[in-house]
Amino acid sequence: MNPALAALAFAPGLAIGSFLSVVAARVPLKRSLLRPRSACMTCSAPIAWYDSVPLASYVVLRGKCRICGTKIGLVYPAVELVSGVLVAACVLEFGLTFEAAIAAFFCCVLVAISAVDIAHRIVPDRIVLPATAIVLVAQTVREPSVEWILAAFGASLFLFLAVLVYPAGMGMGDVKLALLMGAALGKLVSVALMVAMVSALVPGVYLLARHGQAARKMGIPFAPFLALGSIVALFWGDALYDAYVGLLGP
C-alpha cells in the first residue's frame, strides 16, 4: 500500500467522476455522451472548461450556473468526490495493479448506476450489461477460474428469486446489477448481498414507522444499497467472510 500513489490517483478519480456525472445525466435520457457539449439544464448555455473543474468549479460558482444562476444539484460534486475517493482507495488497497484497475472500474460503474437509480429509479442496461462483460473477462484473465461466472449467475439468480417473492421490493435492473457484482467479487458477493439487504432495512423500517402500511407502496432505490454492499465486500469482504465461516465452523 502506498498512500502517495493513492493521493495521486485522487485527481484522475475526480476527472472520471466528472464524466460519470454526464453519464448519469444523459444515459437515462438516451442522449449521446459526446454531443452536444455539456450545458446548463435550464438556460442551455454551454459550460466553459474553467467551469468544469471537478469540485473546484462547484465551490467557486457556489453551486450555481454562471449565466442564469440556477442551482446545480449536489449530485454532481457528490459523484465526483465519491469517485475520486474510491479510485484512490483502490490504489491504496491493491497498488498499481490490474486488480486495482478492475476494482476502480467496478467502483465507478457502481457510482454511475447509483446516481441514475436515485434520480430515475432504473438500472440502465446500457451501463450494467457492458460493464458486466468487461469485468467478467478482466477477472478471468487476471485469475482464470469459474468462480467469477458462477458467482455472477448465482447472485443474479438469488435476487431474481427475491423479485418473484416480493416484486415490489426490487426490479430486474437489480437482478442484472447482481451479475456485475458477482463477476467482480466472486464468492464475496454473498457478503455484498448481505450488507445491502441489512442496510436497506434502515430506510424501510423508518418509512414503515412513519407511514404505516402505506410504506409498502413507497419504493426506494435498491441499487445504492447493492453498491454499498459491493464496496464493503471489495475492501473488507475477506475478513467478513472468514468471520462468518468461522462462526459456522466447529
Side-chain angles (χ1 to χ4, degrees), residues 11 27 33 64 70 95 99 140 142 150 156 175 212 236:
V27 166
L33 298 179
K64 297 180 180 180
T70 299
E99 184 177 10
T140 303
R142 183 183 70 83
L150 290 179
S156 185
V175 174
W236 302 285

Side-chain angles (χ1 to χ4, degrees), residues 78-158:
V79 167
E80 293 169 353
L81 179 59
V82 173
S83 299
V85 169
L86 288 176
V87 169
C90 289
V91 173
L92 183 64
E93 180 70 17
F94 305 110
L96 287 178
T97 62
F98 188 33
E99 184 177 10
I102 297 172
F105 176 78
F106 176 51
C107 287
C108 288
V109 172
L110 291 176
V111 171
I113 288 175
S114 296
V116 172
D117 197 31
I118 290 171
H120 300 277
R121 300 296 194 270
I122 59 172
V123 176
D125 288 350
R126 292 175 64 191
I127 297 177
V128 71
L129 295 181
T132 299
I134 292 170
V135 170
L136 184 58
V137 170
Q139 289 287 53
T140 303
V141 169
R142 183 183 70 83
E143 185 179 331
S145 172
V146 296
E147 175 185 347
W148 312 112
I149 192 167
L150 290 179
F153 282 103
S156 185
L157 177 60
F158 177 79

Side-chain angles (χ1 to χ4, degrees), residues 203-218:
V205 170
Y206 170 77
L207 289 175
L208 189 62
R210 182 167 183 176
H211 301 283
Q213 293 300 316
R216 295 181 179 275
K217 298 180 181 180
M218 297 178 182

Side-chain angles (χ1 to χ4, degrees), residues 3 12 43 53 67 78 94 102 117 158 175 177 183 200 212 225 247-248:
C43 68
V53 180
I67 305 301
F94 305 110
I102 297 172
D117 197 31
F158 177 79
V175 174
L177 177 53
F225 297 103
L247 290 175
L248 299 178

